[in-house]
Amino acid sequence: MNISEVTAYSPTLHDEMAALMCHLSDTAQCSEAALRRTLTSRDCHLFVATDEEGHIVGSATLCLFCSPLGWKGSIEDVVVSPLCRGQHLGRALMEHILNFCHALQAENESAPLTLQLTSRASRTAARSLYASLGFTTKDTGFFTLKI
């Protein structure tokens, strides 16, 4: 397996990402427009795991932003194909993102980076993975609103 950052759009990329995203939830949809915005944003980094034939079998997105409380990164849409689960691809994707963030931090020593992510309680394997990497749960409510 290979993990790399994707920076260019292609119809094949869209098709493979759309097929993968449906494993996050019944309502997850990867539109062409959203994928293009992700790839063209300088603050978003889409990482994919590919198999020996170059097909995407896992992905995770890092979104960086600043707030008055500091520099933050949100890890979004971490997903591995059901056919490849149990092969530690989720761990490899997360470790790749952590290494990427450590490199960013080294370039920008004055600003600590706080990473955050969410995971449904039903995703016990994912939550166990995040805890094993040092993430802790935060006692907060998480709200969403589509506009």
Side-chain angles (χ1 to χ4, degrees), residues 58-71:
S59 72
T61 304
L62 172 66
C63 303
L64 300 168
F65 60 97
C66 293
S67 82
L69 297 178
W71 191 30

Side-chain angles (χ1 to χ4, degrees), residues 12-117:
T12 300
L13 172 69
H14 175 257
D15 292 346
E16 291 188 11
M17 288 297 296
L20 189 61
M21 288 296 121
C22 72
H23 298 294
L24 280 175
S25 76
D26 294 338
T27 59
Q29 294 183 347
C30 177
S31 73
E32 178 183 338
L35 183 57
R36 285 182 184 273
R37 279 192 305 273
T38 300
L39 295 172
T40 57
S41 170
R42 68 180 183 91
D43 295 322
C44 290
H45 304 272
L46 173 62
F47 298 97
V48 297
T50 53
D51 64 15
E52 301 80 26
E53 291 142 15
H55 297 290
I56 298 171
V57 294
S59 72
T61 304
L62 172 66
C63 303
L64 300 168
F65 60 97
C66 293
S67 82
L69 297 178
W71 191 30
K72 298 178 183 179
S74 181
I75 300 172
E76 301 290 332
D77 306 330
V78 180
V79 62
V80 172
S81 166
L83 300 174
C84 297
R85 291 184 183 157
Q87 298 177 26
H88 307 287
L89 287 179
R91 177 172 293 281
L93 281 162
M94 290 298 297
E95 288 176 345
H96 191 89
I97 286 176
L98 293 177
N99 289 335
F100 182 87
C101 289
H102 285 298
L104 284 177
Q105 182 62 39
E107 293 173 8
N108 199 0
E109 291 180 18
S110 63
L113 174 60
T114 300
L115 293 177
Q116 56 194 28
L117 56 82

